Amino acid sequence: MAGLLCGTKRKKQVSDLREEGKNAINAPMLPTGTDIHPEDTLLEENAERIMLDPTSRENLKFKDLLKVLIDWINSELEEDRIIVKDLEEDCYDGQVLQKLFEKLSGRKLNVAEVTQSEIGQKQKLQTVLEAVNELLRPHSWTIEWNVDSIHSKNLVAIVYLLVALAMHFQAPIRLPEHVSVKVVVVKKREGILQTALVTKELTSTTEMMMGRFERDAFDTLLDHAPDKLNVVKTSLITFVNKHLNKLNLEVTELESQFADGVYLILLMGLLEDYFVPLYNFFLTPESFEQKVHNVAFAFELMQDGGLKKPKARPEDVVNLNLKSTLRVLYNLFTNYKNSD
């Protein structure tokens, strides 16, 4: 009889919890169409759970961000023959995150290669995330992920983690700017489930994400006189053509004609009065990597000439980022404008 009563009591507790879940799902502050299972709301006191709002899954910029991250991971892990198709399903157990971190950091983690059990997967995740957090915390990163959120396939937490890694290791990719999603936050306070719809910013501007907080004269120019952008572009075109014309070359489009790095290299040779051996760069680059090599080499020539390391990334120039290209050329203009 005692066992029967205990069993009945437990069933009632479960029923009550599911009723709480049902009430949470039907809470008026939740957007229509939000698909939350009762199990998602079975929380301990003071615990919370975050779920991606379904409307955000259809956000085109969010979809683009997911694609960029997936393509990046697959490129990095190509030698390991790892192919990621779905971030939630392929990253939750720690295997892909382990391989990615090891590849990016050059550091081998002491974890089991394959783990099938939930305990083993969480132990691997714990080791991987401790290594990641140890690397990122000194650089003032806000840690938006933990073992439970990653293992429970929380897509927002997974994306936060991957974006942080991509930015920290300056991945040769271009993350979509200003990507935000809405998440449903379910909390349990004094036995009552509380729900809220919160906006999470996953990416900001490229320059902010890449840590370029030091402002220069070009930032000031764009901020205080954006209407003069065309004037600046015209001045830069006149400047570069003054020198490139010596090789019978002419520029009409700044962002596209400097994107493969060839004109940048030739321009540096002209400004510093030396010939750049053709074996040092790709004269007719075809791949993204060859173009990045060229732009990076041009940056090295600039530093050899006494200029500071450009704030733009080679990948940004190759990806036709006009502001990055203008910044590089503006730096050359301010240093060589009186050069013949």
Side-chain angles (χ1 to χ4, degrees):
M1 179 65 72
L4 180 61
L5 288 174
C6 288
T8 302
K9 184 177 181 182
R10 278 196 297 271
K11 288 181 180 178
K12 186 178 187 305
Q13 289 174 337
V14 171
S15 177
D16 290 343
L17 285 171
R18 291 187 181 277
E19 186 62 27
E20 287 183 14
K22 182 180 178 182
N23 292 337
I25 294 172
N26 295 324
M29 66 180 65
L30 289 182
T32 55
T34 301
D35 184 19
I36 306 176
H37 299 287
E39 289 76 7
D40 292 329
T41 59
L42 301 181
L43 303 175
E44 298 292 333
E45 183 65 24
N46 294 321
E48 72 174 39
R49 183 160 297 176
I50 297 176
M51 292 148 282
L52 181 64
D53 177 47
T55 59
S56 289
R57 284 187 180 272
E58 301 306 314
N59 182 297
L60 294 180
K61 292 179 72 172
F62 181 59
K63 285 184 173 182
D64 187 27
L65 176 60
L66 297 184
K67 184 180 185 304
V68 169
L69 291 173
I70 289 173
D71 290 345
W72 169 57
I73 295 173
N74 288 335
S75 175
E76 291 290 344
L77 302 183
E78 184 177 7
E79 294 180 2
D80 294 292
R81 297 183 179 180
I82 292 176
I83 299 178
V84 171
K85 296 181 179 180
D86 184 285
L87 293 181
E88 292 163 292
E89 295 299 328
D90 295 333
C91 292
Y92 82 95
D93 62 359
Q95 180 76 9
V96 169
L97 294 177
Q98 172 212 338
K99 293 295 184 182
L100 181 62
F101 179 79
E102 290 180 340
K103 174 69 184 301
L104 296 172
S105 67
R107 172 184 167 190
K108 184 71 175 175
L109 298 178
N110 184 24
V111 294
E113 280 301 312
V114 180
T115 51
Q116 298 293 340
S117 68
E118 179 179 336
I119 294 177
Q121 291 171 351
K122 287 189 172 183
Q123 287 175 340
K124 172 178 279 193
L125 272 174
Q126 183 70 34
T127 301
V128 174
L129 295 186
E130 283 178 356
V132 171
N133 297 348
E134 179 183 342
L135 183 73
L136 297 180
R137 273 204 181 96
H139 300 279
S140 302
W141 285 97
T142 301
I143 307 302
E144 297 276 2
W145 54 83
N146 55 44
V147 172
D148 289 333
S149 63
I150 300 294
H151 195 266
S152 64
K153 305 179 183 180
N154 182 326
L155 184 56
V156 175
I158 293 171
V159 169
Y160 264 127
L161 173 58
L162 293 173
V163 168
L165 288 173
M167 289 192 286
H168 180 81
F169 287 102
Q170 295 195 338
I173 57 176
R174 183 161 184 78
L175 297 171
E177 297 184 343
H178 300 297
V179 179
S180 296
V181 294
K182 295 186 183 299
V183 297
V184 179
V185 181
V186 182
K187 301 179 181 180
K188 191 169 188 178
R189 298 289 185 268
E190 298 180 356
I192 299 174
L193 288 175
Q194 303 172 351
T195 57
L197 193 63
V198 178
T199 299
K200 293 280 188 179
E201 183 184 59
L202 299 176
T203 68
S204 56
T205 65
T206 297
E207 292 184 345
M208 290 294 288
M209 288 189 287
M210 293 307 170
R212 287 157 176 75
F213 300 112
E214 181 185 352
R215 297 179 60 76
D216 59 15
F218 191 70
D219 288 304
T220 304
L221 178 69
L222 285 184
D223 287 347
H224 298 288
D227 55 309
K228 295 184 179 180
L229 181 59
N230 286 330
V231 176
V232 172
K233 290 171 68 175
T234 301
S235 298
L236 292 178
I237 288 176
T238 301
F239 164 71
V240 298
N241 281 335
K242 171 185 174 183
H243 299 281
L244 290 176
N245 285 165
K246 299 171 186 176
L247 299 177
N248 292 322
L249 300 174
E250 186 170 2
V251 169
T252 56
E253 291 290 334
L254 293 177
E255 58 196 289
S256 59
Q257 288 182 266
F258 283 97
D260 63 7
V262 175
Y263 277 17
L264 270 180
I265 294 170
L266 297 177
L267 181 60
M268 279 309 302
L270 291 166
L271 293 172
E272 287 290 329
D273 196 24
Y274 57 69
F275 175 76
V276 182
L278 298 181
Y279 58 78
N280 279 334
F281 65 100
F282 299 95
L283 189 59
T284 55
E286 297 180 356
S287 69
F288 179 83
E289 290 73 20
Q290 290 177 347
K291 294 176 183 178
V292 170
H293 168 87
N294 281 358
V295 177
F297 178 58
F299 284 6
E300 290 177 15
L301 297 180
M302 294 174 195
Q303 291 176 267
D304 291 342
L307 278 67
K308 290 184 179 181
K309 182 180 180 180
K311 293 171 67 177
R313 297 187 314 149
E315 293 82 6
D316 296 334
V317 176
V318 176
N319 280 323
L320 307 179
N321 183 310
L322 178 60
K323 190 174 181 181
S324 296
T325 303
L326 290 179
R327 174 174 277 109
V328 172
L329 295 174
Y330 188 77
N331 192 32
L332 293 178
F333 173 76
T334 56
N335 283 274
Y336 295 101
K337 59 185 176 182
N338 296 321
S339 173
D340 293 330

